[in-house]
Amino acid sequence: MDKSAIDRYFAATPAIAMLCSQNGWPDNDSLTVEILEQGEDSALCGVSFEEILVEGAGCVAGRVPCWGRFRVQWDAAGRITHAMRVI
């Protein structure tokens, strides 16, 4: 599996929002993905990013670091089929 395909997947999937703890949203500009282990049809990935927090007026109130691990699986054609959070 191509690392850039995994990076694009995490930049586009709403799955990483489950790592947010303050009701904010992931900042894709701070997103980093590390492949911790890779098999034939899956990879364990470490994902980290900053969660953007906003005030009622819509101004950025702060940023919170977030991280987690996901097991990414792909089909025989190399298309990512899903990612599951690993606790």
Side-chain angles (χ1 to χ4, degrees):
M1 170 58 62
D2 179 18
K3 168 85 165 55
S4 62
I6 293 174
D7 290 340
R8 285 191 306 274
Y9 175 81
F10 280 111
T13 184
I16 62 172
M18 71 176 59
L19 300 175
C20 293
S21 61
Q22 305 293 314
N23 205 25
W25 66 84
D27 176 14
N28 279 347
D29 291 336
S30 67
L31 177 66
T32 60
V33 179
E34 180 181 358
I35 297 176
L36 304 173
E37 64 182 47
Q38 186 169 344
E40 202 169 296
D41 62 351
S42 70
L44 179 63
C45 299
V47 177
S48 63
F49 59 88
E50 290 182 331
E51 176 182 0
I52 298 173
L53 308 176
V54 294
E55 296 177 336
C59 300
V60 174
R63 295 174 172 268
V64 177
C66 299
W67 63 274
R69 295 183 302 163
F70 287 84
R71 172 72 59 187
V72 178
Q73 294 188 316
W74 51 84
D75 61 18
R79 292 182 300 260
I80 295 175
T81 57
H82 69 280
M84 180 185 307
R85 184 175 178 195
V86 177
I87 297 179

